[in-house]
């Protein structure tokens, strides 16, 4: 394996209606010098911000990666309660 990985990503967050919004984005990884060098992650979520510092989020994360035993796709549902201070 290589000690160098290039990572790039894009992420968007914004309002839809009053205190309901969206949050989506992803990143791409490329590992130099490896046979299994590509991976990416993408997430798409809706959130309800019921207090200025608390969000309830629901959505999914989609993952792809190349492994020595083959390529793998995963789609994982996500429920999250986020607190910030």
């Amino acid at each position: 394996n290589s000690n160098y990985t290039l990572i790039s990503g894009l992420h968007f967050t914004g309002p839809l209606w009053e205190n309901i919004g969206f949050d989506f984005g992803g990143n791409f990884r490329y590992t130099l010098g490896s046979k299994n060098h590509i991976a990416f992650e993408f997430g798409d979520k809706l959130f309800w911000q019921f207090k200025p510092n608390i969000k309830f989020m629901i959505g999914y994360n989609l993952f792809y990666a190349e492994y020595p035993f083959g390529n793998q796709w995963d789609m994982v549902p996500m429920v999250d309660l986020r607190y910030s201070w």
Side-chain angles (χ1 to χ4, degrees), residues 9-73:
L10 229 74
H11 195 84
F12 299 96
T13 301
L16 290 175
W17 180 70
E18 293 184 5
N19 57 348
I20 296 175
F22 66 91
D23 187 53
F24 72 90
N27 62 45
F28 176 81
R29 295 171 184 255
Y30 183 83
T31 303
L32 301 171
S34 174
K35 293 181 198 173
N36 310 308
H37 50 67
I38 295 176
F40 76 82
E41 173 184 341
F42 177 79
D44 195 10
K45 300 159 193 78
L46 291 174
F47 67 82
W48 171 43
Q49 187 162 358
F50 54 94
K51 289 188 176 182
N53 61 343
I54 300 177
K55 285 183 185 179
F56 176 74
M57 302 182 83
I58 189 164
Y60 68 91
N61 288 322
L62 178 66
F63 303 97
Y64 171 80
E66 295 178 344
Y67 296 104
F69 55 82
N71 301 338
Q72 185 170 346
W73 288 89

